[in-house]
Amino acid sequence: MNDAYSPVPELNSLKEFQDSPEGQFFAPGFELFKYDKGLDWFCGEAPDAYLDRLIPFAYATSSGSYYALWRCDDRTDLATLPVIFFGDEGDLCIEACNLCELFRLLAAEPDDPEDRARLASPRQRYHAWLQRNFGLTPPDGTGDVDGEVLAEYTRRFAVWVSEFASEDLLEDVLGALDLDVPTP
């Protein structure tokens, strides 16, 4: 029997780090939870065939927001799928183009001074883990994320939602993504 956290080696590595004494709570509000937990951000409005294209894997904030991988196509390397942020107050965005990009973003300096102080030591260990396992460093704020690729994923996500969403849900999603009616 396979005791791996997930079928995604990158997430398994992060889970091992998170579960180690030095890895707990290295980024504000971030915490892996049961892989593919089945959170229903559509509140039951979407058919299972669509919800199956979302793979929830972590809390993004301590208030219930979470991250999910979006199966935007049929690629087999799940670590290369875009990461969607689902906010507990209706926020929605494509957070990262893939898991490694999310891992880099998690290494960023927290905005809140209390979080910076509280998480300083675990973040240093996370930075070392990130470099050792993926050859990545924290973002420096200059062109860290490919805005054009994120914009394209955002457009594609809106088109995907428009295939099954009610008018109200589509309006909410488009508003959260700051988009007009999507075109395929």
Side-chain angles (χ1 to χ4, degrees), residues 55-109:
I55 306 168
F57 65 91
Y59 289 112
T61 67
S62 56
S63 61
S65 301
Y66 64 95
Y67 292 118
L69 296 172
W70 172 44
R71 293 179 191 254
C72 59
D73 53 34
D74 293 327
R75 68 185 81 171
T76 57
D77 186 354
L78 301 179
T80 65
L81 293 172
V83 179
I84 313 292
F85 169 83
F86 295 94
D88 62 312
E89 294 184 9
D91 297 342
L92 176 66
C93 71
I94 310 299
E95 186 76 12
C97 296
N98 55 54
L99 277 176
C100 282
E101 186 173 280
L102 177 68
F103 291 178
R104 284 194 73 221
L105 294 174
L106 291 172
E109 186 79 20

Side-chain angles (χ1 to χ4, degrees), residues 164-175:
F164 60 87
S166 67
E167 282 186 40
D168 289 340
L169 177 60
L170 182 58
E171 186 176 310
D172 290 346
V173 168
L174 293 176

